[in-house]
Amino acid sequence: MAKGVAEARIAVIGAGLMGHGIAQVFALAGHDVTITDTVMQNLDTVIARIAANLRDLGDDPQAIARVRPCVDLAEAVREADYVVEAVSEDLALKQKLFVQIERHVRPDTILASNTSVIPITAIMSGLNRRERALGTHWWNPPFLVPLVEVIETQWTEPELIAWTMQLHRAAGKAPAHVMKDVPGFIGNRLQHALWREAIALVEGGICDAETVDAVIKASFGRRLAVLGPLENADLVGTDLTLAIHNTVLPAIDSRPTASPYLQKLVADGKLGFKSGEGFRKWSAKEQAALRAKVMQHLKASRGT
Ligand SMILES: NC(=O)c1ccc[n+]([C@@H]2O[C@H](COP(=O)([O-])OP(=O)(O)OC[C@H]3O[C@@H](n4cnc5c(N)ncnc54)[C@H](O)[C@@H]3O)[C@@H](O)[C@H]2O)c1
């Protein structure tokens, strides 16, 4: 069992979008953090990226002194009490990496993956000590979105879940215990159930993409941060919820595969921001404006 959460040494594997933000959160919470990446450009810029975030958020700039980039994986994890992996979303890569990591850590070091949707069981199946493995699913940007889903597998020691929940709580995050290792965990299952229906509405000609988003933002989207769906169901009454479901659920998209509409967008090279068009067209100016609006909103909700 790793030491108390306050003095835990953290290793972050992958210095990309999520890895650098996760390192930042732990360093700000007072932990010594090592971080590694196989792409030197990403490792060389990690300190500058974290420093810029700390400046932008008005957080303690001294936190950066606690982050140590390491070229070598073994060096990054050797002293760690807790290792969190945030490399690309590729099952084979993650499986191989954890087998490598296990060769260099103590038997009681906790090993976590920040995969978005891949079952932790699949990632960790090749480990010798699978009882020390779990998932921690952060949300982007890690330093502004509070939730971290802490995923238990059939092998995970329950005390390690409690320890990991406490580690994240002490770092200012809002951990949620996912008791079964299902694809997409909790947050992404909910999010993508909504996305599936959003796409189906456009595909079915009920409205255009802009209207789907406008409807959500002007209605239940306004309440979602303070009123969860099940609180809402209780608020309006489970009897009303049942009546609505009896009418609406048979009409809602329940196809078990990705929508042909979405598949065609991808096949046509309409990849969203990166190609300038997805469900809608996006100029560089519109892309920057939307990104800025989201950041501004998240910063304003920080600490709430
Ligand atoms: N981007 C998001 O919104 C988000 C949210 C939650 C979870 N995730 C998950 O977090 C993980 C990382 O996503 P990201 O958005 O930060 O990706 P990213 O591409 O920004 O970063 C991945 C980093 O991993 C590095 N890397 C690849 N192979 C490596 C290896 N063998 N050893 C060390 N480093 C290696 C890459 O060079 C890159 O810097 C993925 O599993 C992703 O699904 C992403």
Side-chain angles (χ1 to χ4, degrees):
M1 175 78 185
K3 57 174 82 163
V5 296
E7 63 275 24
R9 286 163 302 185
I10 312 282
V12 180
I13 317 302
L17 189 65
M18 297 304 290
H20 91 284
I22 293 170
Q24 177 182 328
V25 170
F26 282 128
L28 199 57
H31 298 278
D32 285 332
V33 180
T34 52
I35 185 161
T36 187
D37 202 291
T38 43
V39 175
M40 281 314 103
Q41 153 82 359
N42 295 353
L43 198 58
D44 288 346
T45 56
V46 73
I47 294 292
R49 283 182 284 140
I50 295 175
N53 294 341
L54 293 171
R55 251 192 327 272
D56 182 44
L57 296 166
D59 287 337
D60 179 10
Q62 303 299 325
I64 200 67
R66 289 189 282 275
V67 181
R68 186 164 62 91
C70 298
V71 173
D72 185 32
L73 174 71
E75 188 195 336
V77 302
R78 195 173 293 125
E79 311 259 285
D81 301 297
Y82 180 87
V83 177
V84 53
E85 163 275 313
V87 305
S88 324
E89 188 77 340
D90 174 334
L91 174 60
L93 171 69
K94 287 179 193 284
Q95 286 172 326
K96 205 171 124 210
L97 188 59
F98 275 105
V99 168
Q100 264 179 295
I101 291 170
E102 202 179 34
R103 290 194 200 118
H104 303 294
V105 293
R106 295 193 316 265
D108 64 345
T109 299
I110 298 171
L111 305 181
S113 172
N114 180 53
T115 172
S116 296
V117 292
I118 303 173
I120 306 304
T121 315
I123 295 172
M124 305 296 189
S125 58
L127 292 185
N128 291 322
R129 299 197 66 240
R130 299 186 291 199
E131 63 275 20
R132 50 131 127 230
L134 44 85
T136 54
H137 177 229
W138 295 63
W139 292 68
N140 184 45
F143 41 86
L144 286 176
V145 182
L147 180 68
V148 178
E149 292 171 272
V150 177
I151 303 122
E152 180 172 351
T153 74
Q154 73 219 58
W155 308 301
T156 320
E157 270 178 32
E159 314 94 83
L160 301 193
I161 294 290
W163 188 96
T164 304
M165 298 276 288
Q166 185 49 30
L167 175 76
H168 290 81
R169 207 175 286 118
K173 307 312 294 176
H177 182 188
V178 183
M179 293 184 282
K180 285 188 183 169
D181 182 27
V182 290
F185 319 122
I186 301 171
N188 268 327
R189 287 171 83 98
L190 292 166
Q191 181 170 231
H192 287 277
L194 178 61
W195 289 22
R196 174 168 64 182
E197 184 57 25
I199 296 169
L201 288 166
V202 176
E203 189 177 3
I206 291 95
C207 61
D208 60 18
E210 201 163 349
T211 304
V212 168
D213 291 337
V215 164
I216 293 168
K217 286 188 256 181
S219 62
F220 66 88
R222 285 272 170 122
R223 302 187 301 229
L224 266 180
V226 291
L227 182 70
L230 300 185
E231 286 173 330
N232 199 350
D234 277 350
L235 191 148
V236 299
T238 52
D239 49 344
L240 176 59
T241 305
L242 176 61
I244 291 170
H245 280 203
N246 282 338
T247 304
V248 165
L249 291 193
I252 286 180
D253 188 14
S254 61
R255 286 170 294 180
T257 51
S259 143
Y261 188 95
L262 176 62
Q263 293 185 42
K264 182 163 177 358
L265 285 184
V266 175
D268 291 348
K270 295 181 179 170
L271 303 179
F273 279 19
K274 63 185 115 172
S275 70
E277 183 176 356
F279 288 97
R280 293 157 64 180
K281 289 202 167 97
W282 297 96
S283 68
K285 203 169 151 202
E286 286 167 331
Q287 292 182 23
L290 185 55
R291 285 189 204 280
K293 195 166 154 184
V294 173
M295 285 303 279
Q296 193 185 19
H297 172 76
L298 292 175
K299 280 187 205 168
S301 349
R302 202 180 184 204
T304 59

